[in-house]
Amino acid sequence: LCSDISPLLKDPEAFRTLIDLLEDHLRASFPQIDFIAGLDSRGFLIGPPLAQRLGIGFVPVRKKGKLPGPTESVSYALEYGKAELEIQSDAVEPGQKVVIVDDLLATGGTMCAACELLKRLKAEILECLVVIELKPLKGSEKLKSIPFYSLLQY
């Protein structure tokens, strides 16, 4: 089961509308956000324009070995094996308010790993935000007490 946002990315009006909708949601939900954290790799396509609209910074959460300098890393299970994510150790300061962004939530493993990394840095995770949620895979249940928002659900 797979969903692809590539057609949305190819259409400038549709992509602008996507960013408009996400921006409107975040502005209505949170009076202060310090950073958007985007997940490798599609979160890198959505996160920076959203952060720019909000006038805040963007922090990448990448696959292991891709970031310079000291990093925090976490291993997590995928449907088909294991993977590791990293964030730079100085990406956020304790108490800074962060929204984590990705294109898709399936089983929730990658999003949960990103939450773990930001918790280690003592960030306040305001919300996990995705464009598409695959509801039958129940990934949002793994996020437990962390607020979650998806624009589309299948």
Side-chain angles (χ1 to χ4, degrees), residues 12-52:
E13 188 173 327
F15 186 66
R16 184 173 29 260
T17 300
L18 168 67
I19 300 302
D20 289 344
L21 291 168
L22 297 177
E23 176 189 8
D24 290 347
H25 164 73
L26 290 178
R27 287 191 187 281
S29 301
F30 305 107
Q32 183 195 348
I33 304 169
D34 296 308
F35 290 103
I36 297 291
L39 303 188
D40 198 344
S41 70
R42 299 280 180 124
F44 295 177
L45 302 174
I46 299 161
L50 185 55
Q52 185 179 41

Side-chain angles (χ1 to χ4, degrees), residues 85-134:
L85 280 183
E86 289 185 325
I87 191 169
Q88 289 174 309
S89 299
D90 63 353
V92 299
E93 298 294 322
Q96 287 188 307
K97 299 174 186 316
V98 178
V99 171
I100 304 172
V101 175
D102 204 3
D103 67 327
L104 178 78
L105 184 76
T107 62
T110 305
M111 188 65 78
C112 285
C115 290
E116 173 63 28
L117 287 173
L118 285 154
K119 286 177 184 176
R120 286 186 193 174
L121 298 181
K122 298 181 174 40
E124 181 183 340
I125 302 168
L126 298 175
E127 184 173 78
C128 295
L129 172 67
V130 298
V131 178
I132 301 167
E133 176 186 8
L134 301 179

